[in-house]
Amino acid sequence: MSALIAGSFAFDNILVFHDKFKNHILPDKVHILNVAFLVPSMRREFGGTAGNIAYNLKLLGSDPIAMGTAGMDFGPYAEWMDARGISRKYVKEIPDHYTAQAFITTDEDDNQITAFHPGAMGEAHQQKVADVTEPVEWGIVSPDGKDAMVQHSQQFKEAAIPFIFDPGQGLPMFSGDELLARVDEAEILAVNDYEWQMVQDKTGHSADDLSKRVATLIVTKGGEGSQIYTQDGMVHVPTAEPEAIEDPTGCGDAYRAGLLFGLTNGFDWETTGRIAATMGAYKIECQGPQNHTFTLDEFKARMEENFGASF
C-alpha cells in the first residue's frame, strides 16, 4: 500500500541575505514599504510540496505516488525524479505554462520572504484521485492550487481514503467555512503553531472545538518539537538534534513524509512522530529541500541516538 501525495512541483530559487530583515524594515514605514536586499548567494533547487514529500518518502524506502502538474520547463526536474526512482505517472505537464516558481529569501535568523508564481500549479485540479490505479492506504492534500486542494480533499473523502490536510502556505486562500469543510473531511490536520492560530482566527472556532472535529491534530513548533493531539490525549514529540542548521526550506515536507511513513506502516503516534522529527533534522542540515541523503540503517541509528528506540 502506498501514500498518495497531492501537491505541487516547483523550482525553488533560494537567495541568502547576509543580515537580518528586522535591521532594514522600519516598523513605522511599513505602509510605504520599499526595500531591496543584496543577496550574493543564490541556488535553484527542485521543490514543491509533492516533490519534496515524495523525495523524503523514497529515502525511507517507500514507493510514493506523487500527483500534480508541471510546466513546459519541467525537463530537468523530470530527469531528477527518474534518476531517483520516483514515479512521474501522475505528474501532468501543462503546455504554455511554467512550472511553479518560488523565490525565497532567507536571513540570518532563518526568517523567509517568499514570492511565488503558481504557473502550472493552477491547473492541478485536472488530476483526480480516482485516476490513480494503485492501491492507496493514506493520502495528503498539501499546498497546491486552491481548486485542486478543495477537490482532492473531497475526492479522498468520497473514496474513503484517510488523509492529512496540510494547508500550509495555502491558508490565506481559504475562507473560514472552506477551512471547516476541509477539517471535517480530513482524518488529520497538520499545521505549524502560526498556522494553527490562523485557522482559529479564520474559522472563529476555539482550539478545543476544532480539535474535536478531526481525529488527529498535529501542531509543529520548530525547535520546540511538535504536539500530536488524538482523541486519547496528547503526544509531545521533541526535536531530533541536528548536526548543523543550514536551511529550513522543506523541513515541514520532510516531517510530513515521516508522518506518512509511520501511518502506512501502522506505527503508533510516538514512533511516527519521532520518525517525522528525525526527517526534519536530516533536512535542516542541508541546503535545499531535496539534497539530504541517508541509508535506512543510518536513519534508524539516528533515531536510536536521539530517542533511545527506532522502528
Side-chain angles (χ1 to χ4, degrees):
M1 301 292 280
S2 297
L4 174 58
I5 307 157
S8 61
F9 292 86
F11 291 108
D12 288 341
N13 300 279
I14 301 171
L15 316 167
V16 180
F17 177 51
H18 297 298
D19 202 339
K20 301 177 181 180
F21 296 141
K22 67 183 180 182
N23 294 336
H24 300 268
I25 297 175
L26 303 175
D28 61 336
K29 299 295 184 182
V30 292
H31 62 293
I32 52 170
L33 187 64
N34 188 355
V35 294
F37 302 110
L38 178 65
V39 286
S41 301
M42 175 178 171
R43 308 186 316 277
R44 196 180 200 216
E45 305 282 2
F46 302 118
T49 56
N52 292 344
I53 295 170
Y55 175 85
N56 282 283
L57 272 170
K58 192 68 178 181
L59 287 179
L60 287 167
S62 295
D63 284 315
I65 304 169
M67 183 173 73
T69 47
M72 56 188 173
D73 55 345
F74 191 60
Y77 203 148
E79 293 175 5
W80 171 264
M81 292 178 68
D82 291 348
R84 281 144 192 83
I86 302 171
S87 172
R88 293 188 289 115
K89 182 177 179 180
Y90 300 103
V91 183
K92 183 176 183 179
E93 296 184 30
I94 308 294
D96 302 322
H97 286 70
Y98 289 107
T99 301
Q101 310 273 330
F103 297 85
I104 304 165
T105 303
T106 303
D107 76 355
E108 290 179 346
D109 285 335
D110 286 332
N111 295 311
Q112 294 182 328
I113 296 175
T114 301
F116 188 73
H117 170 66
M121 193 183 80
E123 301 298 322
H125 57 277
Q126 294 187 28
Q127 302 291 73
K128 312 291 185 186
V129 171
D131 292 339
V132 176
T133 57
E134 293 83 352
V136 174
E137 186 172 6
W138 274 90
I140 184 169
V141 175
S142 56
D144 204 353
K146 180 182 177 181
D147 288 345
M149 292 180 72
V150 170
Q151 292 178 28
H152 293 154
S153 178
Q154 294 170 341
Q155 291 164 11
F156 274 127
K157 183 69 173 179
E158 291 166 1
I161 298 171
F163 71 97
I164 301 169
F165 182 61
D166 169 28
Q169 62 265 37
L171 256 176
M173 299 188 296
F174 292 90
S175 69
D177 287 344
E178 289 170 332
L179 281 173
L180 284 175
R182 307 291 80 76
V183 168
D184 289 341
E185 289 162 350
E187 184 76 12
I188 299 169
L189 173 65
V191 288
N192 64 31
D193 50 354
Y194 181 84
E195 293 161 356
W196 178 225
Q197 184 60 57
M198 194 173 177
V199 170
Q200 294 173 64
D201 292 345
K202 275 182 164 283
T203 61
H205 285 257
S206 68
D208 184 60
D209 177 46
L210 285 166
S211 63
K212 292 175 181 175
R213 298 180 73 140
V214 66
T216 304
L217 166 68
I218 301 173
V219 182
T220 59
K221 297 190 172 187
E224 298 177 18
S226 56
Q227 294 174 330
I228 301 174
Y229 298 88
T230 73
Q231 301 307 308
D232 296 323
M234 189 270 284
V235 176
H236 174 71
V237 182
T239 59
E241 190 68 28
E243 295 177 359
I245 298 177
E246 292 292 334
D247 181 8
T249 308
C251 282
D253 294 330
Y255 182 96
R256 282 148 180 77
L259 294 178
L260 287 168
F261 182 78
L263 290 166
T264 53
N265 282 280
F267 297 138
D268 60 32
W269 275 119
E270 187 172 36
T271 302
T272 296
R274 291 175 175 182
I275 294 168
T278 306
M279 291 298 296
Y282 270 108
K283 163 66 243 353
I284 205 168
E285 294 168 355
C286 291
Q287 293 185 337
Q290 296 185 31
N291 293 321
H292 52 293
T293 60
F294 53 77
T295 67
L296 200 54
D297 285 342
E298 289 170 341
F299 186 88
K300 290 181 176 181
R302 186 78 173 268
M303 279 190 69
E304 288 271 3
E305 179 184 341
N306 278 273
F307 303 112
S310 183
F311 58 87

